[in-house]
Amino acid sequence: GEDVEQSLFLSVREGDSSVINCTYTDSSSTYLYWYKQEPGAGLQLLTYIFSNMDMKQDQRLTVLLNKKDKHLSLRIADTQTGDSAIYFCAEKGGATNKLIFGTGTLLAVQP
Amino acid sequence: EAEVAQSPRYKITEKSQAVAFWCDPISGHATLYWYRQILGQGPELLVQFQDESVVDDSQLPKDRFSAERLKGVDSTLKIQPAELGDSAMYLCASSLRQADIQYFGAGTRLSVL
């Protein structure tokens, strides 16, 4: 079945780079997404990557996709305290188009 | 900037009572989704509408949950009767078409006592 896994917690110092990792199981996924959720709020789309790409860069964000290993990562350069939040990886299954979310990674940025 | 609107933001109810949540998608978005997010977990799809039709409700507990989108615009999700395990964040999302990016509302936080 479809499953998405993430590490639970990451702590970095302000100004450092953060790397959040995700593994998924559905090889037919067409798109993979990164969403950000601040406390008590909904999900904000950060970026996404099409499955035939291996890298996408958008300002401070870099997404790397290893389709062979079904591994996705999100790198945040120059991490700021405002980046503290929960980050969700999600895959979109080809058959149903529904999003399957990971459990989320809590990013804590220390000043 | 257009947003997905949800109300109420917070709802406290006693078990066995009925509750209802409302969602207004971004104007022109044909596809509407209801997700449930239990604390510490990622969102899980409950129901997906294409215009006024349900296209996926395989994870909706149909004995107590119902959802409608009568005119293909706004939508209501109802729980009757509420149980303690229903305490969660209920998120609504919309997309222009089924395969497009989903945009989320701020959610309704439900606490069942």
Side-chain angles (χ1 to χ4, degrees):
Chain A
E2 302 151 326
D3 192 23
V4 179
E5 294 191 356
Q6 300 179 238
S7 52
L8 290 180
F9 182 72
L10 176 66
S11 179
V12 299
R13 290 200 173 274
E14 192 173 18
D16 288 349
S17 292
S18 308
V19 179
I20 302 171
N21 294 301
C22 168
T23 57
Y24 61 97
T25 56
D26 186 357
S27 58
S28 68
S29 293
T30 51
Y31 286 92
L32 295 124
Y33 300 83
W34 285 103
Y35 282 86
K36 175 183 179 182
Q37 187 176 37
E38 296 181 0
L43 274 69
Q44 173 194 351
L45 177 68
L46 285 179
T47 187
Y48 62 94
I49 188 166
F50 188 49
S51 58
N52 69 353
M53 298 170 65
D54 51 22
M55 187 182 92
K56 180 178 180 181
Q57 189 156 358
D58 184 0
Q59 299 182 333
R60 291 190 299 124
L61 305 178
T62 302
V63 179
L64 295 178
L65 174 61
N66 182 328
K67 200 172 179 183
K68 173 178 168 289
D69 294 338
K70 299 191 187 70
H71 182 267
L72 183 72
S73 68
L74 174 69
R75 178 177 180 270
I76 305 173
D78 187 25
T79 312
Q80 303 297 305
T81 54
D83 295 324
S84 293
I86 300 176
Y87 289 79
F88 290 96
C89 163
E91 62 172 347
K92 177 175 281 186
T96 63
N97 279 319
K98 73 178 183 183
L99 290 180
I100 306 296
F101 285 89
T103 51
T105 299
L106 174 62
L107 174 65
V109 182
Q110 311 300 323
Chain B
E1 185 175 299
E3 292 183 345
V4 176
Q6 289 189 248
S7 67
R9 286 297 314 277
Y10 305 94
K11 180 70 179 178
I12 300 173
T13 191
E14 294 184 343
K15 64 179 182 178
S16 79
Q17 296 299 303
V19 291
F21 314 129
W22 178 79
C23 172
D24 191 14
I26 293 172
S27 179
H29 280 197
T31 313
L32 184 147
Y33 313 78
W34 283 102
Y35 288 85
R36 178 170 61 185
Q37 185 181 20
I38 295 169
L39 191 64
Q41 298 182 19
E44 290 186 313
L45 181 70
L46 290 175
V47 61
Q48 176 179 339
F49 289 92
Q50 181 64 30
D51 299 310
E52 67 275 9
S53 301
V54 172
V55 296
D56 186 350
D57 64 356
S58 56
Q59 300 304 309
L60 188 71
K62 297 181 189 62
D63 57 335
R64 298 185 300 108
F65 286 63
S66 64
E68 59 184 19
R69 193 185 184 199
L70 293 175
K71 296 183 180 178
V73 181
D74 57 337
S75 175
T76 303
L77 178 69
K78 296 179 182 176
I79 309 175
Q80 182 173 16
E83 295 181 353
L84 296 178
D86 296 331
S87 294
M89 175 81 91
Y90 290 83
L91 294 163
C92 180
S94 70
S95 61
L96 191 60
R97 293 175 298 268
Q98 198 166 337
D100 290 332
I101 291 170
Q102 296 181 28
Y103 296 93
F104 283 78
T108 296
R109 169 75 67 188
L110 173 67
S111 296
V112 182
L113 306 177

Short mmCIF file of all heavy atoms in Angstrom, two decimals, chain A residues 25-82:
data_model
loop_
_atom_site.label_atom_id
_atom_site.label_comp_id
_atom_site.label_asym_id
_atom_site.label_seq_id
_atom_site.Cartn_x
_atom_site.Cartn_y
_atom_site.Cartn_z
N THR A 25 6.51 4.93 -0.85
CA THR A 25 6.49 3.57 -1.38
C THR A 25 5.85 3.46 -2.76
O THR A 25 6.13 2.50 -3.48
CB THR A 25 5.72 2.64 -0.43
OG1 THR A 25 4.39 3.16 -0.22
CG2 THR A 25 6.42 2.52 0.91
N ASP A 26 5.01 4.43 -3.14
CA ASP A 26 4.26 4.29 -4.38
C ASP A 26 5.10 4.74 -5.58
O ASP A 26 5.32 5.93 -5.79
CB ASP A 26 2.97 5.12 -4.30
CG ASP A 26 2.06 4.90 -5.49
OD1 ASP A 26 2.45 4.15 -6.42
OD2 ASP A 26 0.96 5.47 -5.49
N SER A 27 5.59 3.80 -6.36
CA SER A 27 6.46 4.14 -7.48
C SER A 27 5.70 4.84 -8.62
O SER A 27 6.31 5.39 -9.53
CB SER A 27 7.14 2.88 -8.02
OG SER A 27 6.16 1.93 -8.40
N SER A 28 4.36 4.82 -8.55
CA SER A 28 3.58 5.49 -9.60
C SER A 28 3.25 6.93 -9.25
O SER A 28 2.52 7.59 -9.99
CB SER A 28 2.29 4.71 -9.87
OG SER A 28 1.43 4.80 -8.74
N SER A 29 3.79 7.43 -8.14
CA SER A 29 3.52 8.82 -7.75
C SER A 29 3.92 9.77 -8.86
O SER A 29 5.00 9.65 -9.43
CB SER A 29 4.29 9.18 -6.48
OG SER A 29 3.80 8.46 -5.39
N THR A 30 3.05 10.72 -9.14
CA THR A 30 3.33 11.67 -10.23
C THR A 30 3.99 12.93 -9.70
O THR A 30 4.88 13.48 -10.32
CB THR A 30 2.02 12.04 -10.93
OG1 THR A 30 1.07 12.45 -9.94
CG2 THR A 30 1.47 10.85 -11.70
N TYR A 31 3.51 13.41 -8.57
CA TYR A 31 4.07 14.61 -7.94
C TYR A 31 4.36 14.32 -6.47
O TYR A 31 3.67 13.52 -5.84
CB TYR A 31 3.07 15.77 -8.01
CG TYR A 31 2.93 16.39 -9.38
CD1 TYR A 31 1.96 15.94 -10.26
CD2 TYR A 31 3.75 17.44 -9.78
CE1 TYR A 31 1.82 16.51 -11.51
CE2 TYR A 31 3.61 18.02 -11.02
CZ TYR A 31 2.65 17.55 -11.89
OH TYR A 31 2.51 18.11 -13.12
N LEU A 32 5.38 15.01 -5.95
CA LEU A 32 5.68 14.95 -4.52
C LEU A 32 5.73 16.38 -3.99
O LEU A 32 6.23 17.27 -4.69
CB LEU A 32 6.99 14.22 -4.28
CG LEU A 32 6.87 12.74 -4.71
CD1 LEU A 32 7.93 12.39 -5.72
CD2 LEU A 32 6.92 11.83 -3.50
N TYR A 33 5.20 16.56 -2.80
CA TYR A 33 4.99 17.90 -2.26
C TYR A 33 5.64 18.06 -0.90
O TYR A 33 5.79 17.10 -0.15
CB TYR A 33 3.48 18.15 -2.08
CG TYR A 33 2.67 18.06 -3.35
CD1 TYR A 33 2.24 16.83 -3.84
CD2 TYR A 33 2.32 19.21 -4.05
CE1 TYR A 33 1.48 16.75 -5.01
CE2 TYR A 33 1.57 19.14 -5.21
CZ TYR A 33 1.15 17.91 -5.68
OH TYR A 33 0.41 17.83 -6.83
N TRP A 34 5.96 19.32 -0.60
CA TRP A 34 6.33 19.70 0.76
C TRP A 34 5.37 20.79 1.23
O TRP A 34 5.22 21.82 0.58
CB TRP A 34 7.77 20.22 0.83
CG TRP A 34 8.79 19.14 0.74
CD1 TRP A 34 9.56 18.80 -0.34
CD2 TRP A 34 9.17 18.23 1.78
NE1 TRP A 34 10.39 17.75 -0.04
CE2 TRP A 34 10.17 17.38 1.26
CE3 TRP A 34 8.77 18.05 3.11
CZ2 TRP A 34 10.77 16.37 2.02
CZ3 TRP A 34 9.38 17.06 3.86
CH2 TRP A 34 10.36 16.23 3.32
N TYR A 35 4.72 20.52 2.37
CA TYR A 35 3.84 21.49 3.00
C TYR A 35 4.41 21.87 4.37
O TYR A 35 5.06 21.06 5.03
CB TYR A 35 2.43 20.90 3.23
CG TYR A 35 1.54 20.85 2.01
CD1 TYR A 35 1.59 19.76 1.14
CD2 TYR A 35 0.64 21.88 1.74
CE1 TYR A 35 0.75 19.70 0.03
CE2 TYR A 35 -0.20 21.82 0.63
CZ TYR A 35 -0.13 20.73 -0.22
OH TYR A 35 -0.96 20.67 -1.32
N LYS A 36 4.10 23.10 4.80
CA LYS A 36 4.54 23.61 6.11
C LYS A 36 3.29 23.88 6.94
O LYS A 36 2.31 24.46 6.44
CB LYS A 36 5.33 24.91 5.91
CG LYS A 36 5.75 25.62 7.18
CD LYS A 36 6.45 26.93 6.83
CE LYS A 36 6.88 27.70 8.06
NZ LYS A 36 7.52 29.01 7.72
N GLN A 37 3.33 23.50 8.22
CA GLN A 37 2.22 23.76 9.12
C GLN A 37 2.72 24.41 10.39
O GLN A 37 3.49 23.82 11.15
CB GLN A 37 1.45 22.48 9.45
CG GLN A 37 0.18 22.71 10.25
CD GLN A 37 -0.62 21.45 10.51
OE1 GLN A 37 -0.05 20.38 10.73
NE2 GLN A 37 -1.94 21.55 10.45
N GLU A 38 2.27 25.63 10.63
CA GLU A 38 2.59 26.33 11.87
C GLU A 38 1.54 25.97 12.92
O GLU A 38 0.45 25.51 12.56
CB GLU A 38 2.69 27.82 11.61
CG GLU A 38 3.84 28.14 10.65
CD GLU A 38 4.00 29.61 10.36
OE1 GLU A 38 3.22 30.42 10.89
OE2 GLU A 38 4.92 29.94 9.59
N PRO A 39 1.84 26.17 14.20
CA PRO A 39 0.92 25.73 15.27
C PRO A 39 -0.50 26.23 15.09
O PRO A 39 -0.74 27.42 14.91
CB PRO A 39 1.57 26.31 16.53
CG PRO A 39 3.02 26.42 16.19
CD PRO A 39 3.08 26.77 14.74
N GLY A 40 -1.44 25.32 15.13
CA GLY A 40 -2.86 25.66 15.05
C GLY A 40 -3.33 26.13 13.70
O GLY A 40 -4.47 26.60 13.56
N ALA A 41 -2.51 26.01 12.68
CA ALA A 41 -2.86 26.53 11.36
C ALA A 41 -3.03 25.40 10.35
O ALA A 41 -2.74 24.23 10.63
CB ALA A 41 -1.78 27.49 10.88
N GLY A 42 -3.51 25.77 9.15
CA GLY A 42 -3.63 24.81 8.06
C GLY A 42 -2.28 24.57 7.41
O GLY A 42 -1.24 24.99 7.91
N LEU A 43 -2.31 23.89 6.27
CA LEU A 43 -1.07 23.54 5.58
C LEU A 43 -0.79 24.55 4.46
O LEU A 43 -1.68 24.88 3.67
CB LEU A 43 -1.20 22.15 4.97
CG LEU A 43 -0.83 20.98 5.89
CD1 LEU A 43 -1.86 20.83 6.98
CD2 LEU A 43 -0.69 19.70 5.10
N GLN A 44 0.46 24.98 4.42
CA GLN A 44 0.89 25.93 3.40
C GLN A 44 1.80 25.20 2.42
O GLN A 44 2.81 24.59 2.83
CB GLN A 44 1.66 27.08 4.07
CG GLN A 44 2.31 28.05 3.12
CD GLN A 44 3.32 28.94 3.83
OE1 GLN A 44 3.43 28.94 5.04
NE2 GLN A 44 4.08 29.70 3.06
N LEU A 45 1.47 25.23 1.13
CA LEU A 45 2.31 24.59 0.14
C LEU A 45 3.63 25.34 0.02
O LEU A 45 3.64 26.55 -0.21
CB LEU A 45 1.62 24.56 -1.22
CG LEU A 45 2.45 23.96 -2.35
CD1 LEU A 45 2.65 22.46 -2.14
CD2 LEU A 45 1.78 24.22 -3.70
N LEU A 46 4.75 24.62 0.17
CA LEU A 46 6.07 25.23 0.02
C LEU A 46 6.59 25.05 -1.40
O LEU A 46 7.03 26.00 -2.04
CB LEU A 46 7.06 24.58 0.97
CG LEU A 46 6.95 24.96 2.44
CD1 LEU A 46 8.00 24.19 3.23
CD2 LEU A 46 7.10 26.44 2.66
N THR A 47 6.58 23.81 -1.86
CA THR A 47 7.12 23.50 -3.17
C THR A 47 6.69 22.10 -3.55
O THR A 47 6.17 21.34 -2.73
CB THR A 47 8.66 23.63 -3.18
OG1 THR A 47 9.15 23.48 -4.51
CG2 THR A 47 9.33 22.59 -2.30
N TYR A 48 6.89 21.75 -4.83
CA TYR A 48 6.57 20.41 -5.28
C TYR A 48 7.52 20.05 -6.41
O TYR A 48 8.18 20.92 -6.99
CB TYR A 48 5.11 20.32 -5.75
CG TYR A 48 4.79 21.20 -6.93
CD1 TYR A 48 4.84 20.71 -8.23
CD2 TYR A 48 4.43 22.53 -6.74
CE1 TYR A 48 4.55 21.54 -9.31
CE2 TYR A 48 4.14 23.35 -7.81
CZ TYR A 48 4.20 22.85 -9.09
OH TYR A 48 3.90 23.66 -10.16
N ILE A 49 7.60 18.76 -6.71
CA ILE A 49 8.48 18.30 -7.77
C ILE A 49 7.78 17.22 -8.57
O ILE A 49 7.08 16.37 -8.00
CB ILE A 49 9.83 17.81 -7.19
CG1 ILE A 49 10.84 17.52 -8.30
CG2 ILE A 49 9.65 16.58 -6.30
CD1 ILE A 49 12.27 17.35 -7.79
N PHE A 50 7.92 17.28 -9.87
CA PHE A 50 7.34 16.26 -10.73
C PHE A 50 8.26 15.05 -10.70
O PHE A 50 9.47 15.17 -10.58
CB PHE A 50 7.19 16.82 -12.15
CG PHE A 50 6.44 15.93 -13.08
CD1 PHE A 50 5.22 15.38 -12.73
CD2 PHE A 50 6.95 15.64 -14.35
CE1 PHE A 50 4.53 14.56 -13.60
CE2 PHE A 50 6.27 14.81 -15.23
CZ PHE A 50 5.06 14.28 -14.85
N SER A 51 7.69 13.87 -10.85
CA SER A 51 8.45 12.64 -10.64
C SER A 51 9.53 12.39 -11.68
O SER A 51 10.40 11.54 -11.47
CB SER A 51 7.49 11.45 -10.59
OG SER A 51 6.75 11.37 -11.79
N ASN A 52 9.52 13.13 -12.79
CA ASN A 52 10.59 12.92 -13.78
C ASN A 52 11.75 13.90 -13.60
O ASN A 52 12.66 13.95 -14.41
CB ASN A 52 10.04 13.00 -15.20
CG ASN A 52 9.62 14.39 -15.58
OD1 ASN A 52 9.62 15.28 -14.75
ND2 ASN A 52 9.26 14.59 -16.84
N MET A 53 11.69 14.68 -12.50
CA MET A 53 12.78 15.60 -12.18
C MET A 53 13.60 15.01 -11.04
O MET A 53 13.09 14.19 -10.26
CB MET A 53 12.21 16.95 -11.74
CG MET A 53 11.40 17.64 -12.82
SD MET A 53 10.51 19.07 -12.17
CE MET A 53 11.85 20.15 -11.73
N ASP A 54 14.85 15.44 -10.90
CA ASP A 54 15.62 14.99 -9.74
C ASP A 54 15.99 16.14 -8.82
O ASP A 54 16.46 15.92 -7.70
CB ASP A 54 16.86 14.20 -10.15
CG ASP A 54 17.69 14.92 -11.18
OD1 ASP A 54 17.57 16.16 -11.28
OD2 ASP A 54 18.46 14.25 -11.89
N MET A 55 15.79 17.37 -9.26
CA MET A 55 16.08 18.51 -8.40
C MET A 55 15.23 19.71 -8.79
O MET A 55 14.92 19.91 -9.97
CB MET A 55 17.55 18.92 -8.49
CG MET A 55 17.95 19.98 -7.49
SD MET A 55 19.66 20.51 -7.61
CE MET A 55 19.50 21.88 -8.72
N LYS A 56 14.85 20.47 -7.77
CA LYS A 56 14.15 21.73 -8.02
C LYS A 56 14.61 22.73 -6.97
O LYS A 56 14.66 22.42 -5.79
CB LYS A 56 12.64 21.53 -7.94
CG LYS A 56 11.84 22.80 -8.19
CD LYS A 56 10.35 22.51 -8.13
CE LYS A 56 9.56 23.79 -8.38
NZ LYS A 56 8.09 23.54 -8.31
N GLN A 57 14.94 23.94 -7.41
CA GLN A 57 15.38 24.98 -6.47
C GLN A 57 14.43 26.16 -6.55
O GLN A 57 14.02 26.58 -7.63
CB GLN A 57 16.81 25.43 -6.79
CG GLN A 57 17.40 26.33 -5.74
CD GLN A 57 18.91 26.31 -5.72
OE1 GLN A 57 19.54 25.58 -6.49
NE2 GLN A 57 19.49 27.10 -4.85
N ASP A 58 14.08 26.69 -5.38
CA ASP A 58 13.17 27.82 -5.30
C ASP A 58 13.64 28.68 -4.14
O ASP A 58 13.32 28.41 -2.98
CB ASP A 58 11.73 27.34 -5.09
CG ASP A 58 10.73 28.48 -5.09
OD1 ASP A 58 11.14 29.65 -5.26
OD2 ASP A 58 9.53 28.20 -4.92
N GLN A 59 14.41 29.72 -4.44
CA GLN A 59 14.97 30.62 -3.44
C GLN A 59 15.76 29.82 -2.39
O GLN A 59 16.75 29.18 -2.74
CB GLN A 59 13.87 31.48 -2.82
CG GLN A 59 13.18 32.34 -3.87
CD GLN A 59 12.12 33.25 -3.31
OE1 GLN A 59 11.50 32.98 -2.27
NE2 GLN A 59 11.88 34.36 -3.96
N ARG A 60 15.35 29.81 -1.13
CA ARG A 60 16.13 29.10 -0.10
C ARG A 60 15.84 27.60 -0.07
O ARG A 60 16.48 26.86 0.69
CB ARG A 60 15.83 29.69 1.27
CG ARG A 60 16.37 31.11 1.47
CD ARG A 60 16.26 31.54 2.95
NE ARG A 60 14.90 31.56 3.46
CZ ARG A 60 14.49 30.90 4.51
NH1 ARG A 60 15.32 30.12 5.19
NH2 ARG A 60 13.22 30.99 4.92
N LEU A 61 14.89 27.15 -0.86
CA LEU A 61 14.47 25.75 -0.81
C LEU A 61 15.05 24.96 -1.98
O LEU A 61 15.00 25.42 -3.12
CB LEU A 61 12.94 25.65 -0.88
CG LEU A 61 12.15 26.44 0.15
CD1 LEU A 61 10.66 26.28 -0.08
CD2 LEU A 61 12.52 26.03 1.55
N THR A 62 15.59 23.77 -1.67
CA THR A 62 16.05 22.85 -2.70
C THR A 62 15.43 21.49 -2.43
O THR A 62 15.54 20.96 -1.31
CB THR A 62 17.59 22.70 -2.69
OG1 THR A 62 18.18 23.99 -2.87
CG2 THR A 62 18.05 21.78 -3.81
N VAL A 63 14.77 20.95 -3.44
CA VAL A 63 14.17 19.62 -3.33
C VAL A 63 15.00 18.65 -4.16
O VAL A 63 15.32 18.94 -5.32
CB VAL A 63 12.72 19.62 -3.83
CG1 VAL A 63 12.13 18.22 -3.74
CG2 VAL A 63 11.88 20.60 -3.04
N LEU A 64 15.36 17.54 -3.55
CA LEU A 64 16.07 16.47 -4.26
C LEU A 64 15.20 15.22 -4.28
O LEU A 64 14.62 14.85 -3.25
CB LEU A 64 17.40 16.16 -3.58
CG LEU A 64 18.45 17.27 -3.58
CD1 LEU A 64 19.70 16.82 -2.82
CD2 LEU A 64 18.81 17.69 -5.00
N LEU A 65 15.10 14.60 -5.43
CA LEU A 65 14.31 13.38 -5.58
C LEU A 65 15.17 12.26 -6.14
O LEU A 65 15.78 12.40 -7.20
CB LEU A 65 13.12 13.62 -6.51
CG LEU A 65 12.27 12.39 -6.86
CD1 LEU A 65 11.65 11.77 -5.62
CD2 LEU A 65 11.18 12.77 -7.87
N ASN A 66 15.24 11.16 -5.39
CA ASN A 66 15.90 9.94 -5.84
C ASN A 66 14.81 8.92 -6.08
O ASN A 66 14.32 8.27 -5.15
CB ASN A 66 16.90 9.45 -4.79
CG ASN A 66 17.65 8.20 -5.24
OD1 ASN A 66 17.12 7.37 -5.98
ND2 ASN A 66 18.87 8.07 -4.79
N LYS A 67 14.38 8.80 -7.33
CA LYS A 67 13.23 7.97 -7.64
C LYS A 67 13.54 6.49 -7.46
O LYS A 67 12.67 5.70 -7.08
CB LYS A 67 12.75 8.24 -9.07
CG LYS A 67 11.33 7.81 -9.32
CD LYS A 67 10.83 8.27 -10.65
CE LYS A 67 9.39 7.77 -10.85
NZ LYS A 67 8.89 8.13 -12.17
N LYS A 68 14.79 6.12 -7.70
CA LYS A 68 15.19 4.71 -7.56
C LYS A 68 15.03 4.26 -6.11
O LYS A 68 14.51 3.18 -5.84
CB LYS A 68 16.64 4.54 -8.03
CG LYS A 68 17.25 3.17 -7.80
CD LYS A 68 18.66 3.11 -8.35
CE LYS A 68 19.40 1.87 -7.87
NZ LYS A 68 19.74 1.95 -6.45
N ASP A 69 15.47 5.12 -5.18
CA ASP A 69 15.38 4.79 -3.75
C ASP A 69 14.08 5.28 -3.13
O ASP A 69 13.87 5.10 -1.93
CB ASP A 69 16.56 5.38 -2.99
CG ASP A 69 17.88 4.77 -3.40
OD1 ASP A 69 17.86 3.63 -3.93
OD2 ASP A 69 18.93 5.41 -3.22
N LYS A 70 13.23 5.97 -3.91
CA LYS A 70 11.98 6.54 -3.40
C LYS A 70 12.28 7.44 -2.19
O LYS A 70 11.67 7.31 -1.11
CB LYS A 70 10.96 5.47 -3.05
CG LYS A 70 10.55 4.61 -4.24
CD LYS A 70 9.35 3.74 -3.88
CE LYS A 70 9.03 2.75 -4.96
NZ LYS A 70 10.03 1.69 -5.10
N HIS A 71 13.23 8.35 -2.38
CA HIS A 71 13.67 9.23 -1.31
C HIS A 71 13.57 10.67 -1.78
O HIS A 71 14.02 11.04 -2.87
CB HIS A 71 15.12 8.90 -0.93
CG HIS A 71 15.64 9.74 0.19
ND1 HIS A 71 16.34 10.91 0.00
CD2 HIS A 71 15.54 9.58 1.54
CE1 HIS A 71 16.65 11.43 1.17
NE2 HIS A 71 16.18 10.64 2.11
N LEU A 72 12.97 11.49 -0.93
CA LEU A 72 12.77 12.91 -1.20
C LEU A 72 13.37 13.71 -0.06
O LEU A 72 13.26 13.30 1.11
CB LEU A 72 11.27 13.20 -1.28
CG LEU A 72 10.80 14.60 -1.63
CD1 LEU A 72 11.06 14.91 -3.09
CD2 LEU A 72 9.32 14.76 -1.30
N SER A 73 14.02 14.82 -0.37
CA SER A 73 14.54 15.67 0.72
C SER A 73 14.24 17.13 0.41
O SER A 73 14.09 17.53 -0.74
CB SER A 73 16.04 15.46 0.92
OG SER A 73 16.75 15.94 -0.20
N LEU A 74 14.15 17.89 1.50
CA LEU A 74 13.94 19.34 1.42
C LEU A 74 15.08 20.00 2.18
O LEU A 74 15.28 19.73 3.36
CB LEU A 74 12.61 19.73 2.06
CG LEU A 74 12.35 21.24 2.17
CD1 LEU A 74 12.13 21.85 0.79
CD2 LEU A 74 11.14 21.52 3.08
N ARG A 75 15.85 20.82 1.47
CA ARG A 75 16.92 21.57 2.12
C ARG A 75 16.50 23.03 2.21
O ARG A 75 16.08 23.63 1.23
CB ARG A 75 18.23 21.45 1.33
CG ARG A 75 19.38 22.24 1.91
CD ARG A 75 20.66 22.00 1.11
NE ARG A 75 21.80 22.75 1.64
CZ ARG A 75 22.13 23.98 1.25
NH1 ARG A 75 21.44 24.60 0.30
NH2 ARG A 75 23.18 24.59 1.78
N ILE A 76 16.62 23.57 3.42
CA ILE A 76 16.33 24.99 3.65
C ILE A 76 17.65 25.66 3.97
O ILE A 76 18.30 25.33 4.97
CB ILE A 76 15.35 25.20 4.82
CG1 ILE A 76 14.06 24.39 4.59
CG2 ILE A 76 15.02 26.68 4.98
CD1 ILE A 76 13.11 24.41 5.78
N ALA A 77 18.08 26.56 3.10
CA ALA A 77 19.33 27.28 3.33
C ALA A 77 19.09 28.45 4.28
O ALA A 77 17.99 29.02 4.32
CB ALA A 77 19.87 27.79 2.00
N ASP A 78 20.14 28.79 5.07
CA ASP A 78 20.06 29.96 5.96
C ASP A 78 18.77 29.92 6.78
O ASP A 78 17.94 30.84 6.73
CB ASP A 78 20.15 31.24 5.13
CG ASP A 78 20.24 32.50 5.98
OD1 ASP A 78 20.71 32.40 7.14
OD2 ASP A 78 19.82 33.57 5.49
N THR A 79 18.59 28.85 7.53
CA THR A 79 17.35 28.64 8.28
C THR A 79 17.12 29.75 9.30
O THR A 79 18.04 30.15 10.02
CB THR A 79 17.40 27.28 9.00
OG1 THR A 79 17.83 26.28 8.08
CG2 THR A 79 16.01 26.91 9.51
N GLN A 80 15.91 30.25 9.35
CA GLN A 80 15.52 31.33 10.25
C GLN A 80 14.55 30.83 11.31
O GLN A 80 13.90 29.79 11.14
CB GLN A 80 14.86 32.46 9.44
CG GLN A 80 15.73 33.02 8.33
CD GLN A 80 17.00 33.66 8.87
OE1 GLN A 80 16.94 34.55 9.72
NE2 GLN A 80 18.14 33.20 8.38
N THR A 81 14.40 31.60 12.40
CA THR A 81 13.48 31.17 13.46
C THR A 81 12.05 31.06 12.94
O THR A 81 11.27 30.24 13.41
CB THR A 81 13.53 32.14 14.65
OG1 THR A 81 13.29 33.48 14.18
CG2 THR A 81 14.89 32.10 15.33
N GLY A 82 11.71 31.87 11.93
CA GLY A 82 10.38 31.78 11.34
C GLY A 82 10.14 30.51 10.55
O GLY A 82 9.01 30.23 10.14
#
